[in-house]
Amino acid sequence: GNSVTQMEGPVTLSEEAFLTINCTYTATGYPSLFWYVQYPGEGLQLLLKATKADDKGSNKGFEATYRKETTSFHLEKGSVQVSDSAVYFCALSGGGGATNKLIFGTGTLLAVQP
Amino acid sequence: SAVISQKPSRDICQRGTSLTIQCQVDSQVTMMFWYRQQPGQSLTLIATANQGSEATYESGFVIDKFPISRPNLTFSTLTVSNMSPEDSSIYLCSASGRGANTQYFGPGTRLTVL
């Protein structure tokens, strides 16, 4: 079945450092890919998405490119801020599974220190 | 995007009791879902709430434990029945529109069972 694998956290960075959180997936067909963010004590917010190969999703300085050849959707940001501290979830839907059913990775905790 | 609210935001309950969580969407949506997030874990889909018919449950979740209602296109409830401490989790509602694979989440209900 479909699955998502994320790099384990926690990831601890200093402010203005470069961020990469790795995400790879297993799916048949062509899934849609998502990054969600969960700030402390809150629900999930959609950060960005990509629906086909080579698409780049971007929002709030974060980017992720849908790489079909490597089945990856790594999240990057050039300069993190303390306010980016949160849990980041990679997810997919479709790709041989139910179109509206989201499969989540385990989440990666990011802690940014001033 | 849809704006989703949940009530209550948190509750502390006694073992053996039941709690009903409400989810309200600010616009008509096709699909509504209920997820559980156990402490420090990722999200697990409990069921898809179907308007006008019985919910569709995922493996490991049953209607007697998690009855769900969806009387119209903007509202759903999840009941956690006969609670035990193992039910202590965050319960999240999400929604997506017709033909859309992007889900938007509510802020979650943080449940503690003593």
Side-chain angles (χ1 to χ4, degrees):
Chain A
N2 293 354
S3 65
V4 176
T5 302
Q6 280 182 246
M7 67 184 289
E8 292 192 12
V11 174
T12 303
L13 296 174
S14 298
E15 206 163 23
E16 299 184 2
F18 184 86
L19 168 70
T20 299
I21 300 178
N22 289 339
C23 171
T24 58
Y25 67 90
T26 301
T28 58
Y30 299 90
S32 294
L33 301 172
F34 306 85
W35 278 100
Y36 285 87
V37 57
Q38 186 175 36
Y39 297 102
E42 298 185 13
L44 267 69
Q45 298 179 23
L46 177 66
L47 182 59
L48 53 84
K49 69 176 184 180
T51 57
K52 61 182 186 295
D54 300 324
D55 265 3
K56 178 185 285 187
S58 62
N59 185 24
K60 300 181 181 179
F62 291 89
E63 294 182 341
T65 301
Y66 189 141
R67 301 286 188 200
K68 181 71 175 174
E69 63 276 14
T70 54
T71 61
S72 65
F73 193 54
H74 305 321
L75 182 68
E76 296 181 336
K77 187 175 185 182
S79 176
V80 293
Q81 306 300 312
V82 172
S83 57
D84 294 325
S85 298
V87 179
Y88 292 81
F89 292 94
C90 185
L92 71 78
S93 70
T99 302
N100 284 297
K101 183 175 177 178
L102 275 174
I103 306 296
F104 284 92
T106 53
T108 302
L109 173 63
L110 170 65
V112 180
Q113 298 176 338
Chain B
S1 64
V3 176
I4 302 173
S5 59
Q6 286 184 231
K7 289 194 296 187
S9 59
R10 59 178 64 233
D11 208 341
I12 300 173
C13 301
Q14 296 297 317
R15 180 195 299 262
T17 63
S18 297
L19 176 72
T20 295
I21 303 167
Q22 299 180 6
C23 176
Q24 179 73 55
V25 188
D26 69 341
S27 58
Q28 292 188 347
V29 291
T30 305
M31 309 289 286
M32 294 183 74
F33 306 87
W34 288 99
Y35 290 83
R36 181 175 73 183
Q37 185 180 24
Q38 294 178 300
Q41 302 296 314
S42 187
L43 282 77
T44 301
L45 180 63
I46 297 172
T48 302
N50 301 308
Q51 194 265 328
S53 64
E54 196 170 282
T56 304
Y57 290 84
E58 297 299 306
S59 176
F61 297 96
V62 295
I63 187 171
D64 289 347
K65 176 67 176 177
F66 297 102
I68 287 170
S69 78
R70 188 175 173 195
N72 57 50
L73 291 175
T74 64
F75 185 79
S76 178
T77 66
L78 168 75
T79 299
V80 186
S81 302
N82 187 25
M83 289 183 285
S84 67
E86 291 70 36
D87 294 320
S88 297
S89 295
I90 301 172
Y91 292 85
L92 297 110
C93 168
S94 74
S96 65
R98 180 181 295 279
N101 60 6
T102 301
Q103 291 185 29
Y104 296 92
F105 284 80
T109 296
R110 188 177 297 271
L111 171 64
T112 301
V113 183
L114 303 177

